[in-house]
């Protein structure tokens, strides 16, 4: 089961036929395992990793550190429920260390992200502080290394 999940996580385009060969199992068994994993909520979805810098889509990505005051009896869960419902938020993690949540957000501009933080995220009850960090460049995402631009051998290094 674990090997199947690892293969799908790495490449969700693998067909049950390909997976059956790789795992030395019957194709029907692979299909049944996948259906069961989807039903149990182990497999939550399938996604492609897109290098948006190679498209015309203009977006800004930011990581936001969020400090909160946990609620009695509910801990962090009720606050997380409020935060995760905003469509701008791509990821939400409960953290250890100097802050409580990390929020990954995308917007069209830095101003739009700043507006979201100031008008929607920071005013949430029990949020005590935020710190926003803008992503300048992505080198690796979800295990996938983004290609680096080829250097022109004629370029002169200033170092």
């Amino acid at each position: 089961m674990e090997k199947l999940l690892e293969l799908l996580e790495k490449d969700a385009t693998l067909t049950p036929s390909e997976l059956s060969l790789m795992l030395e199992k019957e194709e029907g068994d692979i299909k049944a395992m996948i259906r069961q994993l989807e039903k149990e909520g182990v497999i939550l979805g399938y996604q492609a990793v897109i290098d948006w810098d190679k498209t015309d889509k203009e977006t800004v990505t930011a990581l936001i550190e969020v400090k909160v005051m946990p609620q009695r009896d509910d801990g962090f869960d009720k606050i997380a429920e409020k935060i995760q419902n905003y469509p701008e938020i791509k990821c939400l993690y409960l953290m250890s260390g100097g802050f409580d949540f990390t929020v990954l957000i995308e917007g069209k501009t830095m101003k739009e992200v700043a507006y979201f933080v100031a008008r929607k995220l920071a005013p949430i009850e029990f949020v005590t502080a935020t710190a926003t960090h803008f992503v300048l460049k992505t080198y690796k995402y979800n295990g996938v290394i983004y290609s680096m631009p080829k250097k022109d051998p004629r370029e002169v290094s200033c170092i």
Side-chain angles (χ1 to χ4, degrees):
M1 203 65 85
E2 189 175 312
K3 186 66 176 163
L4 172 63
L5 291 171
E6 289 171 356
L7 289 168
L8 286 172
E9 183 177 48
K10 189 171 184 170
D11 184 359
T13 65
L14 291 170
T15 65
S17 175
E18 292 168 326
L19 290 165
S20 68
L21 290 172
M22 297 166 94
L23 297 171
E24 299 177 348
K25 295 192 180 286
E26 294 294 322
E27 186 175 342
D29 293 340
I30 295 294
K31 288 178 181 178
M33 289 167 65
I34 291 171
R35 274 194 304 275
Q36 185 63 31
L37 290 165
E38 290 170 342
K39 182 180 174 186
E40 292 172 356
V42 175
I43 296 176
L44 298 173
Y46 302 89
Q47 295 183 334
V49 178
I50 311 295
D51 186 348
W52 289 107
D53 289 342
K54 293 182 178 177
T55 71
D56 293 336
K57 184 178 180 182
E58 294 288 328
T59 60
V60 174
T61 303
L63 293 169
I64 305 164
E65 299 173 2
V66 182
K67 289 185 183 183
V68 301
M69 184 177 298
Q71 294 180 284
R72 177 175 291 207
D73 299 326
D74 293 320
F76 296 100
D77 294 342
K78 286 283 186 196
I79 301 166
E81 283 179 29
K82 290 178 184 178
I83 295 171
Q84 73 187 5
N85 286 324
Y86 288 105
E88 298 92 337
I89 293 177
K90 300 297 178 190
C91 300
L92 174 63
Y93 302 102
L94 180 62
M95 305 297 294
S96 64
F99 53 94
D100 302 303
F101 291 106
T102 295
V103 174
L104 178 71
I105 181 175
E106 285 184 354
K108 292 180 182 171
T109 63
M110 287 183 177
K111 187 174 183 178
E112 182 179 276
V113 171
Y115 181 86
F116 172 82
V117 173
R119 301 287 186 184
K120 295 181 180 179
L121 185 60
I124 293 174
E125 188 177 14
F126 302 110
V127 170
T128 60
T130 64
T132 303
H133 309 274
F134 288 97
V135 175
L136 302 178
K137 184 174 183 172
T138 302
Y139 292 99
K140 185 175 183 177
Y141 176 79
N142 205 23
V144 177
I145 296 174
Y146 284 43
S147 63
M148 300 292 289
K150 302 288 187 246
K151 280 195 168 187
D152 187 332
R154 297 172 292 176
E155 287 182 13
V156 177
S157 177
C158 296
I159 300 177

